[in-house]
Amino acid sequence: MKRINQFLAFLLTLVLVSCGDEKKDQETITIGEEGTLEQIDTSEDRMESTSDTMQSGQAVQRQNGVVQVNLTGNDLMQYNINEIRVKAGETVRLTLTHVGQLPENAMGHNFVLLKQGTDVVDFAQKAATATGNDYIPEGTDAVIAKTEMIGGGEETSIEFTAPAAGTYEYICSFPGHYVQMRGKFIVE
């Protein structure tokens, strides 16, 4: 029965990918000097800068030395952010909210921050078989930070220290999702 559910989830993923010509607007978030936030809205190619005191609901906030990242995933296999910039050693508190309605077994989402040099396709293929471990391969050393797998209407949070300067990739490790649900985690 578990294999049938996995197969059905895979078929649903293929259907959604093949039918999804519409692309959701994504944001690029940069934490700038002196606690300013530069937010680039790629759909309108405009840039806004705000200070530390930002309205709730924005994608990234910095307060008391902690960078709060509000990441969402939806039923169309999309994150709301495709690039996050922080400084090395900063504390990152990431909250992932599944804004869709489909359950975890059909459209689960997580956030997995991978070490530099990780082969994303190879990792994702191994992850697809790790059903009993939130689609994280047992014994892997490729993961810096990860959330639990969640379904529609659910939310989860993690806190971690930003790694050394460099560019890292983050993905959703649910089978097939890494193709669309990925982004750059840039540490300056």
Side-chain angles (χ1 to χ4, degrees):
M1 187 67 177
K2 197 173 196 178
R3 291 275 183 209
I4 291 172
N5 285 341
Q6 290 173 336
F7 180 71
L8 291 175
F10 178 72
L11 282 179
L12 178 62
T13 300
L14 287 177
V15 168
L16 288 172
V17 169
S18 64
C19 294
D21 288 341
E22 181 180 321
K23 288 193 174 188
K24 181 181 180 299
D25 295 333
Q26 294 185 333
E27 300 175 76
T28 299
I29 304 298
T30 302
I31 301 295
E33 297 298 317
E34 306 290 320
T36 62
L37 173 78
E38 298 167 358
Q39 186 170 346
I40 302 169
D41 183 347
T42 58
S43 65
E44 298 176 18
D45 292 326
R46 67 179 176 185
M47 182 183 290
E48 303 168 1
S49 291
T50 65
S51 68
D52 279 346
T53 56
M54 300 182 338
Q55 298 174 2
S56 64
Q58 291 195 350
V60 175
Q61 300 177 22
R62 173 181 266 143
Q63 185 175 11
N64 299 327
V66 176
V67 178
Q68 174 67 47
V69 178
N70 298 312
L71 185 65
T72 65
N74 63 28
D75 286 343
L76 297 176
M77 297 187 310
Q78 298 167 324
Y79 284 135
N80 64 319
I81 305 170
N82 63 6
E83 186 176 288
I84 301 167
R85 290 179 182 263
V86 298
K87 291 184 169 65
E90 284 187 311
T91 299
V92 178
R93 185 177 301 131
L94 183 132
T95 299
L96 174 64
T97 305
H98 191 316
V99 296
Q101 297 178 4
L102 294 173
E104 178 185 327
N105 65 349
M107 188 58 65
H109 295 319
N110 64 357
F111 166 88
V112 182
L113 180 59
L114 299 170
K115 289 183 179 177
Q116 286 181 313
T118 299
D119 182 328
V120 174
V121 174
D122 182 59
F123 178 87
Q125 288 174 346
K126 290 176 183 170
T129 64
T131 57
N133 196 37
D134 277 344
Y135 298 104
I136 302 294
E138 293 284 343
T140 184
D141 64 350
V143 176
I144 296 171
K146 66 179 179 62
T147 66
E148 64 183 327
M149 189 68 63
I150 59 173
E154 296 179 330
E155 182 176 283
T156 185
S157 294
I158 58 169
E159 193 169 293
F160 61 96
T161 302
T167 300
Y168 303 81
E169 290 196 68
Y170 63 89
I171 65 167
C172 172
S173 65
F174 191 90
H177 288 199
Y178 76 95
V179 175
Q180 286 184 214
M181 296 187 76
R182 64 195 299 175
K184 300 288 182 191
F185 191 87
I186 300 170
V187 183
E188 300 171 330

